[in-house]
Amino acid sequence: MIQHSHIDLGFTDRQEVIADYHRQFIRQAVEMALSPDQKRRHRDCLFKYTIEGFWSLEQFLSSASASERRLLLRALKSGLIELTAGYFHLTELLDIELLRWTLQPAQRFARQEGVPLVACMSCDVNGFSWGFGELLAEAGVRYLSTNINSHHGGAPLGKPLTPFHWESPSGRRVLVWNGLPYHRANVLGLMGYYSPDTELGFPGLHLPPKHRYEDVQDISLAERKLLPTLSHLENSGYPYDFLPLMGNAVYTDNGPAGDQYCELIRQWNARYGDRIHIRTATLTEFFQHLERTVPEIPTYRGEWTDWWSDGVAATPLDTLIYRNAQRTRHLVRRLDPRHQVISPKRLEAIDRRLALYAEHTFGYSNTASHSLLTHQVFTRKTMQAVQADELAGQALVEVLRHRGEGEFKARRPFAYQVINPLDRSVRAAVQLPVDYWEEPAVAGGVRVAGPDGMTIPCQIEPSPRGRVIVTCVDLPARGEMTLRVEPSPKSNSSSNASDQFTNPFYRAAWDPRRGFYSLVDAATGKELLNARQAGLGCPVYQIFPNGHREQAAGFGYTARKIPKDEVTVGQCAGVKRVSGGDVFERWELAYDVPGTQSYVLSATFYRDLPQIELSARVVKTDVTDPEGLYVLFPLEWEEGIWHLDKPGMPIRPGLDQLPGSCCDYYCLQAGAALVAQSGGVAWTTLDAPLVHVGKLRLWNYSTSIQPSGPIYSWLTNNKWETNFRLTCGGRFEFRYVLQASPWFSDATEAVAVCQAHTMPPVVIRH
């Protein structure tokens, strides 16, 4: 029996209320662990408590007195309370550097206080990036306990209650117990206080529930529930003579500590202890028992792809802002590597906000409620992304001033510095800003002069607050270049409109009926778009009319009833050229598609660059039925395999995954690369991290997949009936970069280019 308090930031109340609750829970646990009652208990009935994540302890430490801190350390060092290595439970939004940060607070505390830290506890979420397994091993964590919520997913290896060694990309291993959902000890009547007589959540077991709460003061409910449960496990081939059960003093997320279970365990052992013996334990004690009693535990390599992360598309604008904040934070670090301007403490403040947004709880449990509380919880979640973006943006302002950005004053010179923040050389387009009151200075035409005074081709384009002058530059790794804009009578227009675009790297073609239907790689002559699919960037809309979300999800491995869907491929309604010059052409394709008021695909083709920039500008309507809006990328390359950019390393879907993990969808970092022996395609997604590979798989619960086929960028969804928003209306822009090359036969290079497109050169004005 392992007692803990599940961390759900916002699910049961406002986030600041929950922070105070967890502060109380640690204080309660310390008092119970050191209570005089402990001396009268049998060692198997002692109160013990596992701190599920360091965030809870952090709340306690923020206000603990010196005396309370001493008592905490005494309880920790006695082994009655255990600290675990995680911070809290996360979606897959965080990259590897930020994931590493989430493990550092517990490590610092454990080193400082001499407390062991060998186990990590995960509840609710259904998986982790492969890189997270590497980080656990790197931090000296030997054990990972999971209590997945089967509401929207399943257990790896096809079933729960299984141990395995999870091998990291470098070959390190972490011992995993792939467990049942948490609170099973409550449902079995073993924790005391009010407990629900409900379904147990054991695969294949059904004990008729009374669907009511009972005030558990003795072991009568446990006798009715636990005995048949253990018989079921034995009869169904469960191979072990032990079973870990997680519980809490109250059957609720964010629940308090309690020691009433100590008496229930004493009663049970007095009556049944010769057959079924129960003991309290910390997480590490359980794993030590597991290692002693199960000598041969299998090893599996691969990503434990998470079913939970689909919810981030229910808040598309918040997630878009979050991803910008994450990129800006990394840009600050690259431009200020020695912390001359931004201290590590300030970076940590950004990291904390990013982690709080990536925490797995996005809203109140009663998502459909119109109450103030529901809005408060969602708004506070949004605030984490906004504040991360604000803190990162402020840091960038200061770093750019340090790197030479001039003051904002009248008659600023048209002199610019372009900085490559990457550790690789780049050729890229940059935009030199001109304010609207300065337009007379550029109205007659301009030229861009490089460091040697030579003219660089440029193009004047409108911007929200004036004009930008677009030009292309070559920069070495971490290199810089000075550019000047000077008046010139030279025209900035070029070429007449046609239905195709050709440069040295590719040939693209479109028409008003088929949209963007052809993309041919110049080096190989390969057609990169599947002719059997709709055009590149075409919207696809999926809806489940009157679909019951609860039945499609299900609890405790119960049967799921997937509603019937309707899928509509958008129809191209018009094509127009909106810009053309010496540097690029830009075209817009309008589409009619349900679920939107408008959908416009903007495509930018550069005359001397291999990449294509695409953006989908969407006015999304509010729809209450379960739905999903996607952008289709029907890319193909003979024998090409997708390599998805995940934290720590790329994975090939279906090939580099644990058996039974999620193949319905994937949450990406920079994007993906389609790689074959003769070349490939790098596909970058700046704003929308979720994708389906091959076909739409919403509610398919797929655990196998072919690592090829089209990519569907998943813009919005409202499939959850709890925790995430029920509608996704709003005005959004989702941006992408596409580049093909015969050099992309090397997956490492293809993914590196995909990542490089997320951090283009920075422009500052002197």
Side-chain angles (χ1 to χ4, degrees):
M1 295 270 290
I2 299 167
Q3 184 173 170
H4 63 109
S5 299
H6 178 51
I7 304 171
D8 257 332
L9 285 184
F11 193 66
T12 60
D13 211 318
R14 302 191 316 274
Q15 287 88 336
E16 65 271 21
V17 172
I18 290 169
D20 189 55
Y21 283 170
H22 281 267
R23 188 177 298 117
Q24 298 171 31
F25 302 160
I26 301 296
R27 186 172 292 111
Q28 293 163 5
V30 171
E31 290 175 357
M32 293 174 191
L34 302 180
S35 165
D37 292 338
Q38 292 280 73
K39 296 178 181 179
R40 296 188 288 271
R41 291 169 180 152
H42 187 274
R43 60 191 176 118
D44 290 345
C45 304
L46 291 172
F47 170 84
K48 294 183 179 181
Y49 185 82
T50 294
I51 300 173
E52 193 178 274
F54 187 79
W55 178 85
S56 293
L57 184 58
E58 194 173 64
Q59 308 316 303
F60 173 81
L61 294 172
S62 67
S63 63
S65 66
S67 173
E68 288 173 328
R69 190 180 181 105
R70 285 194 298 271
L71 292 173
L72 166 73
L73 293 174
R74 180 180 158 196
L76 285 168
K77 293 179 179 181
S78 73
L80 296 170
I81 293 182
E82 177 179 24
L83 175 63
T84 57
Y87 194 59
F88 40 42
H89 316 296
L90 297 158
T91 63
E92 291 190 294
L93 286 171
L94 291 180
D95 58 37
I96 195 68
E97 184 175 341
L98 293 168
L99 277 173
R100 180 178 283 110
W101 177 86
T102 66
L103 296 175
Q104 290 171 350
Q107 292 179 68
R108 284 197 297 264
F109 178 85
R111 283 195 303 268
Q112 176 182 328
E113 304 296 348
V115 173
L117 190 69
V118 296
C120 184
M121 188 174 193
S122 175
C123 297
D124 258 359
V125 295
N126 304 93
F128 322 88
S129 67
W130 201 1
F132 185 68
E134 188 75 61
L135 293 178
L136 289 176
E138 178 184 287
V141 176
R142 297 173 54 197
Y143 309 125
L144 172 61
S145 166
T146 68
N147 298 99
I148 70 166
N149 188 332
S150 57
H151 187 36
H152 281 263
L157 316 184
K159 60 181 180 180
L161 299 176
T162 53
F164 65 93
H165 292 286
W166 187 20
E167 189 172 294
S168 74
S170 71
R172 297 172 172 177
R173 300 195 308 178
V174 175
L175 177 58
V176 174
W177 177 259
N178 171 26
L180 290 166
Y182 55 93
H183 282 149
R184 293 312 92 187
N186 297 76
V187 178
L188 287 166
L190 292 167
M191 292 304 300
Y193 196 54
Y194 286 101
S195 295
D197 186 343
T198 186
E199 287 286 357
L200 296 172
F202 282 67
L205 174 64
H206 176 69
L207 297 176
K210 296 180 180 179
H211 296 296
R212 70 185 186 195
Y213 276 78
E214 296 192 10
D215 189 357
V216 177
Q217 299 185 32
D218 57 32
I219 61 172
S220 57
L221 179 60
E223 289 175 316
R224 185 156 54 85
K225 293 286 191 178
L226 183 58
L227 293 172
T229 296
L230 297 180
S231 295
H232 166 75
L233 287 175
E234 290 183 339
N235 294 335
S236 59
Y238 181 71
Y240 310 117
D241 64 353
F242 60 85
L243 178 69
L245 293 174
M246 276 61 178
N248 194 198
V250 179
Y251 183 81
T252 180
D253 297 328
N254 303 306
D259 62 0
Q260 61 266 31
Y261 77 141
C262 299
E263 170 59 18
L264 294 179
I265 294 172
R266 186 200 65 77
Q267 292 178 22
W268 180 277
N269 287 340
R271 185 175 301 180
Y272 298 102
D274 57 336
R275 295 170 46 207
I276 301 163
H277 189 80
I278 302 177
R279 59 165 294 196
T280 61
T282 62
L283 201 56
T284 295
E285 287 176 325
F286 161 69
F287 274 104
Q288 291 170 343
H289 180 82
L290 173 64
E291 288 179 314
R292 286 195 303 268
T293 56
V294 183
E296 304 216 354
I297 298 176
T299 297
Y300 292 91
R301 283 177 57 85
E303 167 150 301
W304 193 335
T305 314
D306 189 12
W307 300 86
W308 194 281
S309 291
D310 59 338
V312 303
T315 47
L317 180 58
D318 298 359
T319 299
L320 184 154
I321 292 171
Y322 163 86
R323 283 172 67 86
N324 184 74
Q326 190 177 47
R327 288 192 298 269
T328 305
R329 182 256 188 248
H330 292 310
L331 178 60
V332 167
R333 182 182 58 80
R334 286 178 173 275
L335 295 177
D336 183 32
R338 296 185 180 88
H339 303 292
Q340 294 174 286
V341 182
I342 306 301
S343 68
K345 185 176 181 180
R346 287 183 63 185
L347 283 180
E348 184 169 339
I350 302 170
D351 296 346
R352 186 179 304 277
R353 297 296 178 188
L354 291 168
L356 284 165
Y357 182 77
E359 193 268 341
H360 77 299
T361 315
F362 272 63
Y364 188 51
S365 56
N366 190 353
T367 302
S369 168
H370 298 290
S371 71
L372 173 62
L373 177 57
T374 300
H375 294 301
Q376 285 176 312
V377 172
F378 274 117
T379 302
R380 282 159 170 72
K381 185 69 169 184
T382 299
M383 185 175 65
Q384 303 301 341
V386 173
Q387 289 184 344
D389 194 46
E390 181 182 15
L391 291 172
Q394 176 60 37
L396 181 60
V397 166
E398 296 174 34
V399 168
L400 294 185
R401 288 282 287 142
H402 179 75
R403 295 295 295 261
E405 187 167 53
E407 291 187 358
F408 178 26
K409 58 186 179 181
R411 297 194 181 279
R412 286 190 292 175
F414 291 98
Y416 303 85
Q417 195 77 9
V418 183
I419 306 169
N420 176 17
L422 300 175
D423 295 320
R424 56 183 292 135
S425 60
V426 296
R427 176 167 175 75
V430 295
Q431 297 185 0
L432 314 179
V434 176
D435 287 308
Y436 67 84
W437 56 84
E438 298 174 317
E439 289 185 18
V442 300
V446 297
R447 80 178 190 103
V448 174
D452 56 3
M454 298 294 290
T455 298
I456 305 173
C458 68
Q459 182 171 330
I460 302 177
E461 291 294 319
S463 73
R465 294 279 296 176
R467 293 283 186 269
V468 290
I469 299 166
V470 185
T471 189
C472 294
V473 296
D474 291 285
L475 290 167
R478 302 278 183 168
E480 300 184 29
M481 175 184 290
T482 300
L483 301 176
R484 294 191 64 85
V485 173
E486 301 171 352
S488 170
K490 179 180 180 299
S491 169
N492 285 283
S493 62
S494 174
S495 76
N496 295 320
S498 67
D499 59 357
Q500 66 176 20
F501 179 89
T502 301
N503 70 11
F505 308 100
Y506 59 81
R507 182 178 72 252
W510 53 88
D511 64 33
R513 181 177 63 85
R514 293 174 290 178
F516 194 163
Y517 68 86
S518 177
L519 180 61
V520 177
D521 176 57
T524 62
K526 291 182 180 293
E527 172 61 63
L528 303 181
L529 303 184
N530 187 329
R532 299 182 300 277
Q533 301 275 345
L536 182 71
C538 174
V540 178
Y541 182 68
Q542 182 181 33
I543 188 169
F544 299 81
N546 301 311
H548 293 284
R549 294 173 174 87
E550 299 92 337
Q551 295 178 2
F555 282 99
Y557 303 95
T558 56
R560 308 178 194 269
K561 297 180 181 178
I562 312 303
K564 182 175 176 56
D565 69 334
E566 296 175 0
V567 177
T568 305
V569 177
Q571 295 296 310
C572 190
V575 179
K576 65 178 180 179
R577 182 178 187 250
V578 295
S579 186
D582 291 347
V583 179
F584 68 84
E585 285 187 18
R586 181 172 292 137
W587 290 74
E588 290 183 352
L589 291 77
Y591 282 87
D592 293 328
V593 64
T596 71
Q597 292 182 27
S598 70
Y599 178 100
V600 176
L601 178 73
S602 173
T604 302
F605 308 100
Y606 291 95
R607 304 202 182 280
D608 196 28
L609 291 177
Q611 65 260 33
I612 299 170
E613 295 175 0
L614 301 167
S615 70
R617 299 197 300 272
V618 182
V619 180
K620 180 74 183 66
T621 54
D622 271 339
V623 177
T624 55
D625 284 338
E627 56 156 2
L629 181 64
Y630 309 84
V631 182
L632 172 64
F633 293 87
L635 299 164
E636 64 177 5
W637 196 294
E638 186 178 358
E639 298 183 349
I641 291 177
W642 283 108
H643 292 67
L644 310 180
D645 183 29
K646 301 299 296 289
M649 67 171 297
I651 69 155
R652 299 167 299 169
L655 300 178
D656 300 319
Q657 293 183 237
L658 294 184
S661 58
C662 175
C663 294
D664 276 351
Y665 39 79
Y666 300 86
C667 188
L668 310 184
Q669 290 299 309
L674 184 61
V675 177
Q677 287 189 348
S678 56
V681 182
W683 177 81
T684 301
T685 176
L686 293 170
D687 307 303
L690 290 167
V691 298
H692 292 216
V693 176
K695 66 176 185 179
L696 299 185
R697 299 173 187 270
L698 181 54
W699 275 326
N700 279 22
Y701 298 102
S702 307
T703 55
S704 63
I705 192 174
Q706 292 297 316
S708 57
I711 283 273
Y712 292 84
S713 176
W714 201 0
L715 306 184
T716 66
N717 85 70
N718 63 347
K719 61 175 285 226
W720 287 67
E721 82 288 353
T722 185
N723 197 50
F724 295 98
R725 291 193 184 274
L726 283 179
T727 60
C728 305
R731 304 173 69 90
F732 313 109
E733 181 180 30
F734 303 95
R735 298 164 296 165
Y736 308 90
V737 184
L738 193 65
Q739 182 174 336
S741 171
W743 296 105
F744 293 167
S745 57
D746 179 351
T748 301
E749 173 62 15
V751 173
V753 168
C754 169
Q755 294 168 340
H757 284 313
T758 69
M759 197 166 287
V762 178
V763 175
I764 61 176
R765 189 170 177 180
H766 291 306

